[in-house]
Amino acid sequence: MDSILDRPIQYLPGIGEKRAELLASEIGVETFGDMLMHIPFRYVDRSKVYKIAEIGEELSTQYVQVRARVRDKGIVGHGAKARLALVVADDTGEMDVVWFRGARFVMKKLEVGREYIFFGRPTLFNGFPNMAHPEFEPPIVVEGQEPVGMQGIYSTTERLSSIGLGTKAIYNTMRTLWAAVKDYIPETLPAYLLEQERLVSRVQALHDIHFPPSAEALNAAIRRLKFEELFVIQLQLLGQRKVRTEKTQGYLMPKVGGYFNMFYREKLPFALTGAQQRVVKEIRGDMVSGHQMNRLMQGDVGSGKTIVALLCVLIAADNGFQSAIMAPTEILATQHYRSIMELVETTGLRVELLTGSTRKKKREEIAEGLLSGEIDLLIGTHALIEDAVRFARLGFVVIDEQHRFGVMQRAKLRLKSQGLPPHVLVMTATPIPRTLAMTLYGDLDVSVIDELPPGRKPIHTSYAKESHRLRLFGFLREQIAQGRQVYIVYPLIQESEKMDVANLEAGAEVIAREFPPPDYTSVVVHGKMPAKLKDYGMELFKEGKAQILISTTVIEVGVNVPNATVMVIESAERFGLSQLHQLRGRVGRGGDQSYCILMTGDKMTTEARHRMEAMVSTTDGFRLSELDLQLRGAGDIDGTAQSGQGIEIKVSNLAKDGDILEYARSVAERILAADPGLQGAENVLLVAALEKLNRKKKVAVDLSQIS
Ligand code: ADP
Ligand code: MG
């Protein structure tokens, strides 16, 4: 099918080869159709012209247009630092206008004494308005062009702007594009759906989103495009889930036998919480359903997910199946191994640990034990799925802290043993808001452990500046004198890794000075260290031989030292909310009052301050993840704004469009219930929409094939 929408963007008048290349690399626009989906991120009222005197705090950083005459212009500075400075004025006041780039080029285009419309975001400097890099044009009404009311503001990049594709130019390009494509935009949703949901046609929606004739029309356009985007994804996810739950066979594990009973009665060191019991039941339900389980277990840090997973491992063993537990790091795998070994001691369950540093001889032994079926539970890192590890009868797989594992890796599990695919339990301590979970994991069933074991004292959280550091040290001394231990965590962010390590080392020196041996022992652990040294440091801390652990975020997930009661997070403003929450979850695991202290720089953005305040205000992970989503938008949460299927989400904002998402999901459910295979003639367009979606997938894994 050849459509004008598939035509390479370079053939659009005014674009050409060079711009096309940058459009592709900068914003992923390759075709006419892609460009059409480059949707304004907001709108300004271009019919309104502001007076300079009107520009105050409330207008600064918004897009405005000002009609003003150039009083003076000149190049200031030399060479690379040369900038163009302009003084412009209207009858109410003066404004400075500057260009830091392209100064000479712009200089030629602007004449002193002439009037222009300047369009940009003003800022106030010492109370004086000032605009950098505005777009400008003479105030002439172009014949034949509709008077512009609301105009879209398009996102662009510095490099695109530098080759003449600023937001205004993109707007103009869009007009050219629209003239070329407007007669060739097919409807993509069935007529009955448009009618039922009162949605405007696709062609109408696309016109109005780029060139809104009114606010109502714009809202209708946005609603239609968001609904469609989310609806098609939900249709896909629900369809896959249907295939899995109705067609894919899974191992039956009906028996609750010796392993489980003995452990439950004799070894379990505490009573399960209500939430733990409920989740065990949910998993058991899957194990006797005859279908393969794909379940996400969400539970805040410290909610006791490991025990739940272990109980299910025991049920699998009772039914003659092997299990595997995968952790994201070697430290965690080792820790799981140790704590599980301690728990299952004397039950007869055979457990092994396999990581990157397992010796060759041991490796071979493990390989043999897995194939003979002697090993009941294998614990390890990615190595479990990356390596040629083969099981006799793998029936149950637990993936801990799933955000480090992708769809691809889940897919590989299928190959681990012959027979049916194993049941999969994905555990995450990163609570995911409902809307996001529906999109990222809409194909999984979800269990939630929403209750902490009894007797935990809420962690006391505060934030402090550099000037409070001495008081902080005093507090740490007090805690250590009471026999407690302390974590001090530094950020380590890829781009500035060197600097971050330097910060950590400088911090460690200060600590060594303030907390000198032999009274105190502090250890340093970071990702760049050899594994041996790292493990040794962790070990000292775990055994209580070191009171202070200074580290990067290697301790972020899963490390469990109940005697540690203080978590100090350095440069806390550089961490995201969910990461801060994860780190805080390292303390408060024993019976003692615990503390989390967020050390911040003297200057913080408003957004960073909101993050600190959110941390102080609640310890509820779900509440925080909702706040996080609102503060950062959905894009950053999982790295990119993608659904779990590797599908890009362009129009919708998962942080804000929860209502539309839930609604779209319910519509998708209704349609699939009426026509499970989408075979009805009225649903032909939906089948086409799903095919298109699958062609675009970045991760080419079709879960319905795997499971
Ligand atoms: P997470 O959900 O973060 O993985 P863990 O499974 O590591 O949590 O459990 C945290 C701590 O709580 C462990 O020391 C564990 O033994 C303990 N724990 C788990 N469940 C209970 C319970 N029902 N009662 C008391 N302590 C529990
Ligand atoms: Mg855990």
Side-chain angles (χ1 to χ4, degrees), residues 218-233:
L218 176 60
N219 286 337
I222 291 173
R223 182 166 161 270
R224 143 85 207 218
L225 293 174
K226 285 183 173 176
F227 175 87
E228 176 172 8
E229 178 171 58
L230 298 171
F231 167 75
V232 174
I233 293 173

Side-chain angles (χ1 to χ4, degrees), residues 195-212:
E195 197 176 323
Q196 271 168 23
E197 309 309 327
R198 296 206 199 85
L199 299 169
V200 296
S201 71
R202 186 168 174 85
V203 61
Q204 181 82 57
L206 285 169
H207 173 273
D208 292 352
I209 206 158
H210 288 295
F211 317 108

Side-chain angles (χ1 to χ4, degrees), residues 469-486 514-515 519-520 547-548 563 565-566 592-593 595 597:
R469 192 166 287 278
L470 283 182
R471 261 176 49 205
L472 170 71
F473 289 152
F475 176 69
L476 298 185
R477 277 190 201 100
E478 264 169 43
Q479 285 288 309
I480 293 171
Q482 290 173 30
R484 307 282 113 77
Q485 290 166 280
V486 175
E514 295 281 334
F515 298 86
D519 294 351
Y520 300 95
Q547 298 94 359
I548 303 176
N563 190 49
T565 55
V566 187
D592 304 301
Q593 177 62 52
Y595 304 87
I597 298 153

